[in-house]
Amino acid sequence: MDKLTKIVVIVGGGNAGWLTAGRLAAKHNSNSEQGLKVILVESANVPAIGVGEGTWPTMRSTLKALNISETDFIRECDASFKQGAKFAKWHDGSEDDYYYHPLVLPQGFGKTDLAGHWLAQQALAKNQSSEQSPLPANSQAHSHSFSNQVCFQEAICEQGLAPKTIRHAEFADVANYAYHLDSAKFTRFLQKHCQENLGVTHIIDDVIGVNSIGDTNSEGARAGDIASVTTKAHGDITGDLFVDCTGFSSLLLGEHYQVPFKKCDDVLFIDTALAVQVPYENDDDAIASHTISTGQKAGWIWDIGLQSRRGVGYVYSSKHSTEAEAKQILAEYVGVKNGAQLDSLKVRKIPINSGYRETAWQNNCVAIGLSAGFLEPLEASALVMIELGAQMISEQLPQSRAVMDIVAKRFNETALYRWQKIVDFLKLHYILSEREEPFWADNRDPSSIPESLQELMTLWQYRAPADYDFTSNNEVFPAASYQYVLYGMGFNSDYSHNPFALDDTDMASSQFEQNKKLTAKALSLLPSNRELLSKIKEFGLSRI
Amino acid sequence: MAQLVAIDNKNHLQLAIDQTKVEQHGAKLHLVPAVVPEFSNMAVQYPLVITKNGDTGQFVFAAMLGFEAGENLYWRDEQWQGLYVPLQIRRQPFFVAKSTASDNYDVCYDTDSPAVATEHGQRLFNDQGQETEFFAQAKGCLGELLRGEEANSQLLSYLQEMDLLQSMKMEVMFANQQTVNLSGLYTVDQDKLAALSAEQVTQLHQAGLLAAVYTLVISLGQMHQLIDLKNKQLGHS
């Protein structure tokens, strides 16, 4: 006899727990008698870490899948719009050193290799200017930058504009966007929605034991599976599938199953974060509609604009900086004089242990969130990994124990693939820097660069990243993202030995032209980010 | 931008309105706001659509008079050619605005209006400073609009609550093969309207709004008349 999946027990609240609960409950009708029973057990005593306040555009589909109104979400989670990231001082650290990784694909992506054409133009301009040497090399840098020439979003961000207008429906846009949000508010918002609208059962109690099934039995239970978790006040809670959302403690997957943790600190050196909340000086200060990530001596500072405050933090490598030094750098960034004054902003120190569990789904237990892994916050991969994992579990929920191992195998392959790809992509941000501090120099050491990334870099010497470099259905970052980082960081792919690759010059010029038109149109149409957020608070976005 | 000035019988004793010029306010409007009480009059000639206020994103009812900004196909030979002139036009150049002095509303007028006259036209006050019949009627018109706007917001909340709105995407081709894409317009979703529960229908009926919902649907048939007018203007008939 086979054991059907009727009850899913999620251990741990936080964004991971509630997003998983919500996805499962919405998809499998937990509101009805026949639906899947979703129980979330959460300790009252464990504070949530609140990873990352930046999301990906995937959050829009996640909210839609949970049947959440975007207006409610924006109003209740202090959320604002995020249109990508601005990387300042990553290349050479000079004052006007920056590039964008926007969320809109390069114009005509898939129709023509606009990156190749842009590179050819750059090469031509360089030759001409070296002959006539009229201008210093970087005086025209930003208007001719890759991200500006192929995408209209950088101009929107630089002007502090929103990605849509008040007339757009919820989730509709002019330019692709994600969100910045208050993590703690988001958790409470999800919890309320999951309980009130989606039929998730919430138990507040401490899990004090994990009970295994001793022998495989005729009811379809497998030896070694989790039968139940024991709680302090509610006794044993039985389930068919257990989701470990217990954060870094990884109670089920790490502690109970002893699944090993693969550290990535040989590739990604960041191991500490100092985070502060910075109030706006004036109520009408601009709200940046992108994450600002500024390179520092031993890491980088994130700067995220919410409606009511900014979230700012310095992530650094403790091998390359003392805490006092890091505090001083953060203090200077937020505009206070020294580390002591910074303390008035209540600095939170958060250890970062970059790595992941190579097996995320063991027996009838799967980990989502920090319990499965965490990489440094660059490119905001934390929430998106939760979303992707929760989506996969809800869509591919094994109907019975007999099929669970097959689904688990796929889940593990996918998760592992994604972790590795994210590690590669994050590392890419560091290896092209020309900054000379030891942190940056160490990052360029070939022994710290994964072979998979080295291979790609070798290929890209002669051409731009393309879709055929990323062939899985489960890619996290598209080829376009690699292009934005590579050419933002001044990398050159040399097309001169491949003269026929760029034959479609008419198509390319029409796409460059189109980008200019879209830029002008967007700039004339869009309100400021703050103005739109205020209007949404006052009037709301309509559903259609 | 309209300059609004509150009207009183001291400063505006001589103010007069040339009624023949009032309709000029609509000469270049392709959408004119509509209120529920005038729906049935509107629907005889104009398609009634729902659009969004540019400042607030809130839904508003409007009669469609043309296919692009600045085009009113019912405006020809310096005259409104339609059978029914919308309240929003007839009320010109008068507005109500929240009083700066009290909690009440002031009746204001648009000093830039082409209908403002000093020589001939209808006066608002007689020489003794008493309101004329004309001004009383104009005020009545404003009252009608205000009541209509209340009905509008009631109908709009029902339409949204009952999930009856859908966006209306249309590509229209004129006789000269020129096409125009209509966007930013919304209307009643007829399938969802047909699927309303008896309870919901009763709710609309008791609120006196059921007829308005069907009028919105039926008025869309006037789109053909509007296309026809456009074709005539283009010289094809």
XYZ file of all heavy atoms in Angstrom, chain A residues 166-170 535 539-540 542-544, chain B residues 52-59 163 165 186:
180
model
N 0.434 55.290 -11.817
C -0.735 54.945 -10.994
C -1.851 54.362 -11.863
O -2.747 53.687 -11.366
C -1.213 56.170 -10.181
C -2.235 55.785 -9.124
C -1.774 57.268 -11.083
C -1.712 55.009 -7.970
N -1.780 54.592 -13.167
C -2.822 54.034 -14.041
C -2.571 52.581 -14.400
O -3.438 51.922 -14.966
C -2.940 54.867 -15.316
C -3.543 56.233 -15.060
C -3.522 57.077 -16.292
N -4.460 56.579 -17.292
C -4.906 57.316 -18.305
N -4.514 58.555 -18.439
N -5.729 56.797 -19.184
N -1.384 52.101 -14.119
C -1.124 50.694 -14.416
C -1.804 49.800 -13.377
O -1.905 50.164 -12.208
C 0.373 50.415 -14.437
C 1.045 50.903 -15.681
N 1.492 52.195 -15.820
C 1.289 50.279 -16.854
C 2.006 52.342 -17.024
N 1.892 51.200 -17.691
N -2.213 48.649 -13.846
C -2.852 47.696 -12.935
C -1.809 47.114 -11.988
O -0.602 47.266 -12.200
C -3.501 46.583 -13.739
N -2.268 46.449 -10.957
C -1.353 45.734 -10.072
C -0.505 44.782 -10.914
O -1.020 44.102 -11.808
C -2.148 44.925 -9.030
C -2.920 45.814 -8.076
C -3.394 45.074 -6.836
O -3.658 43.863 -6.946
O -3.491 45.717 -5.770
N 1.069 57.761 -4.003
C -0.238 57.615 -4.641
C -0.834 56.234 -4.382
O -2.048 56.093 -4.207
C -0.125 57.867 -6.138
C -0.087 59.342 -6.451
C -0.203 59.621 -7.922
C -0.219 61.124 -8.148
N -0.154 61.478 -9.561
N -4.420 56.045 -3.070
C -5.510 55.604 -3.958
C -5.501 54.101 -4.231
O -6.516 53.525 -4.584
C -5.417 56.323 -5.308
C -5.433 57.823 -5.204
C -4.304 58.565 -5.468
C -6.595 58.487 -4.828
C -4.312 59.948 -5.376
C -6.617 59.874 -4.730
C -5.470 60.610 -5.000
N -4.346 53.476 -4.132
C -4.255 52.058 -4.488
C -4.128 51.861 -5.986
O -4.477 52.743 -6.767
N -5.361 49.587 -9.214
C -6.528 48.738 -9.457
C -6.062 47.363 -9.936
O -4.933 47.189 -10.377
C -7.461 49.378 -10.465
O -6.779 49.542 -11.673
N -6.959 46.418 -9.800
C -6.608 45.032 -10.099
C -6.411 44.823 -11.609
O -5.705 43.925 -12.035
C -7.718 44.125 -9.574
C -7.266 42.786 -9.044
C -8.460 41.959 -8.610
N -9.563 42.055 -9.553
C -9.617 41.434 -10.718
N -8.641 40.660 -11.101
N -10.657 41.591 -11.518
N -7.135 45.645 -12.404
C -6.963 45.510 -13.854
C -6.485 46.830 -14.439
O -6.584 47.860 -13.813
C -8.261 45.086 -14.572
C -9.353 46.123 -14.364
C -8.688 43.730 -14.127
C -10.470 46.004 -15.345
N -9.038 55.586 -16.668
C -8.451 55.887 -15.356
C -7.988 57.331 -15.296
O -7.353 57.814 -16.220
C -7.261 54.962 -15.075
C -7.649 53.567 -14.657
C -6.409 52.752 -14.331
C -6.773 51.312 -14.023
N -5.552 50.476 -13.942
N -8.262 57.962 -14.182
C -7.766 59.308 -13.927
C -6.231 59.283 -13.908
O -5.627 58.453 -13.243
C -8.311 59.772 -12.571
C -7.824 61.143 -12.188
O -6.619 61.390 -12.082
N -8.756 62.055 -11.979
N -5.628 60.200 -14.667
C -4.176 60.197 -14.793
C -3.442 60.475 -13.492
O -2.328 60.004 -13.282
N -4.051 61.214 -12.602
C -3.394 61.580 -11.356
C -3.552 60.537 -10.272
O -2.680 60.358 -9.436
C -4.002 62.881 -10.809
C -3.308 64.086 -11.397
O -2.188 63.913 -11.912
O -3.902 65.171 -11.355
N -4.693 59.883 -10.279
C -5.002 59.011 -9.151
C -5.127 57.552 -9.550
O -5.107 56.669 -8.698
C -6.338 59.414 -8.505
O -7.384 59.136 -9.449
C -6.358 60.884 -8.153
N -5.255 57.286 -10.842
C -5.443 55.908 -11.278
C -6.846 55.389 -10.983
O -7.154 54.237 -11.257
N -7.715 56.249 -10.411
C -9.083 55.809 -10.090
C -9.912 55.713 -11.373
O -9.740 56.516 -12.292
C -9.746 56.794 -9.126
C -8.982 56.997 -7.826
C -8.960 55.753 -6.979
O -8.038 54.945 -7.088
N -9.959 55.559 -6.160
N -10.836 54.770 -11.393
C -11.693 54.614 -12.566
C -12.664 55.783 -12.699
O -13.173 56.296 -11.701
C -12.493 53.316 -12.474
C -11.656 52.086 -12.668
C -11.451 51.194 -11.625
C -11.069 51.816 -13.902
C -10.676 50.062 -11.806
C -10.292 50.686 -14.088
C -10.096 49.809 -13.028
N -16.189 42.237 -9.361
C -15.190 41.821 -10.348
C -15.737 41.884 -11.780
O -15.520 40.984 -12.585
C -14.732 40.386 -10.007
C -13.454 40.019 -10.741
O -12.725 40.939 -11.163
O -13.206 38.806 -10.896
N -15.213 44.385 -14.041
C -14.489 45.212 -15.015
C -13.493 44.380 -15.814
O -12.881 43.465 -15.290
C -13.745 46.343 -14.302
C -14.607 47.407 -13.635
C -13.729 48.462 -12.979
C -15.539 48.052 -14.652
N -11.661 50.514 -20.264
C -12.215 49.358 -19.556
C -13.718 49.343 -19.773
O -14.334 50.361 -20.067
C -11.901 49.448 -18.056
C -10.429 49.602 -17.794
C -9.827 50.859 -17.878
C -9.624 48.501 -17.510
C -8.458 51.017 -17.677
C -8.268 48.642 -17.310
C -7.688 49.902 -17.397
O -6.333 50.048 -17.207
